């Protein structure tokens, strides 16, 4: 009898999750770049012999306006800024921020409030990581040895803010902290794909560290796959 009840419950749970998945929308955002106003340029790493050696042939380039070959832009946050209801638990799986080749990898990334961030130093030189939030509590930690790791959490949602290294002034990154999982950062094709979005009407926002925010209203229903374009 117990096995029969358990089997029925398992089928019910499976049905619920299948139904939710079947009625969740996907939002595909394209970030276009029509006017490159700040092209990438080579960074002078001579101040640190280690960094200079690492980039002796493979030069380090700025990433604050990532123009893709197909006319799109990377490193742009896209997220639902209005219209989401309900509470979402943060993932326990951490996001990794690496200090590698004397720059931050990734340059721009998002986490949910309360989600762990594992910070690594993969360079054989001193780095420090110094985020500059206004809502969350800032910190400044030194990581002098290769292989060191630190884990930190930002508990409150906050718009993207700057991360810097006081040792290497060219090292720069941005992190956004979100209350729900409906966010992403545009890739080398200028695309952000937001999955499992419940039916509803939302404000979709894009945000770039140099070019600022843009907004669109979008309505999705059922298992829609809707596309929006942000043009800079």
């Amino acid at each position: 009898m117990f096995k029969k009840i358990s089997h029925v419950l398992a089928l019910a749970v499976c049905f619920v999750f299948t139904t939710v998945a079947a009625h969740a929308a996907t939002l595909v955002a394209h970030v276009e770049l029509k006017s490159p106003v700040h092209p990438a340029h080579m960074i002078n790493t001579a101040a640190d012999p280690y960094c200079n050696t690492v980039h002796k042939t493979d030069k380090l380039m700025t990433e604050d306006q990532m123009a893709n070959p197909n006319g799109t832009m990377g490193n742009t946050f896209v997220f639902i800024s209005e219209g989401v209801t309900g509470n979402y638990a943060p993932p326990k799986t951490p996001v990794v921020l690496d200090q590698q080749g004397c720059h931050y990898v990734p340059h721009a990334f998002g986490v949910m409030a309360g989600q762990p961030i594992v910070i690594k130093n993969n360079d054989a030189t001193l780095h420090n990581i110094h985020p500059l939030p206004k809502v969350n509590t800032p910190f400044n930690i030194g990581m002098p040895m290769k292989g060191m790791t630190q884990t930190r959490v930002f508990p409150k949602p906050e718009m993207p803010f700057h991360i810097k290294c006081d040792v290497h002034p060219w090292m720069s990154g941005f992190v956004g902290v979100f209350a729900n999982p409906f966010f992403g950062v545009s890739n080398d094709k200028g695309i952000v794909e937001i999955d499992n979005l419940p039916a509803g009407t939302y404000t979709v926002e894009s945000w770039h560290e140099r070019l600022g925010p843009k907004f669109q209203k979008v309505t999705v229903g059922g298992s829609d796959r809707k596309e929006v374009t942000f043009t800079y």
Side-chain angles (χ1 to χ4, degrees), residues 143-175:
M143 303 183 75
M145 293 184 295
K146 183 176 181 177
M148 292 186 69
T149 63
Q150 295 271 351
T151 300
R152 292 291 187 274
V153 171
F154 294 112
K156 302 173 185 176
E158 184 167 356
M159 285 290 291
F161 54 85
H162 190 209
I163 301 172
K164 67 174 184 170
C165 173
D166 298 317
V167 180
H168 306 105
W170 65 79
M171 288 183 67
S172 176
F174 281 81
V175 56

Side-chain angles (χ1 to χ4, degrees), residues 56-209:
K56 189 172 183 178
T57 56
D58 179 19
K59 298 301 182 182
L60 188 61
M61 305 296 290
T62 56
E63 298 176 279
D64 53 353
Q65 187 169 317
M66 181 178 156
N68 297 324
N70 65 345
T72 65
M73 187 164 62
N75 289 335
T76 305
F77 292 87
V78 178
F79 53 96
I80 305 297
S81 57
E82 293 181 1
V84 177
T85 59
N87 296 316
Y88 292 84
K92 295 181 179 179
T93 303
V95 172
V96 175
L97 174 62
D98 203 349
Q99 296 161 109
Q100 184 176 14
C102 299
H103 70 134
Y104 292 124
V105 181
H107 174 78
F109 68 99
V111 294
M112 281 188 65
Q115 183 177 7
I117 303 171
V118 173
I119 305 162
K120 296 183 177 181
N121 182 6
N122 264 315
D123 290 333
T125 191
L126 168 66
H127 289 305
N128 83 306
I129 183 163
H130 188 180
L132 300 171
K134 295 180 180 178
V135 176
N136 288 281
T137 302
F139 58 84
N140 188 348
I141 52 176
M143 303 183 75
M145 293 184 295
K146 183 176 181 177
M148 292 186 69
T149 63
Q150 295 271 351
T151 300
R152 292 291 187 274
V153 171
F154 294 112
K156 302 173 185 176
E158 184 167 356
M159 285 290 291
F161 54 85
H162 190 209
I163 301 172
K164 67 174 184 170
C165 173
D166 298 317
V167 180
H168 306 105
W170 65 79
M171 288 183 67
S172 176
F174 281 81
V175 56
V177 186
F178 301 97
N180 59 65
F182 307 121
F183 63 86
V185 175
S186 59
N187 59 20
D188 59 0
K189 300 287 191 298
I191 294 173
V192 176
E193 190 163 311
I194 298 174
D195 296 318
N196 299 318
L197 190 60
T201 298
Y202 302 98
T203 299
V204 188
E205 182 173 349
S206 67
W207 187 94
H208 185 267
E209 63 187 87

Side-chain angles (χ1 to χ4, degrees), residues 27-38:
L27 180 68
V28 181
H30 302 267
V31 182
E32 294 183 344
L33 181 62
K34 296 298 186 183
S35 302
V37 295
H38 188 73

Side-chain angles (χ1 to χ4, degrees), residues 13-58:
V13 169
C14 182
F15 174 77
V16 169
F17 276 106
T18 302
T19 303
V20 169
H23 291 85
T26 297
L27 180 68
V28 181
H30 302 267
V31 182
E32 294 183 344
L33 181 62
K34 296 298 186 183
S35 302
V37 295
H38 188 73
H41 61 274
M42 188 177 70
I43 295 170
N44 183 357
T45 58
D48 186 316
Y50 172 84
C51 300
N52 209 38
T53 299
V54 169
H55 293 287
K56 189 172 183 178
T57 56
D58 179 19

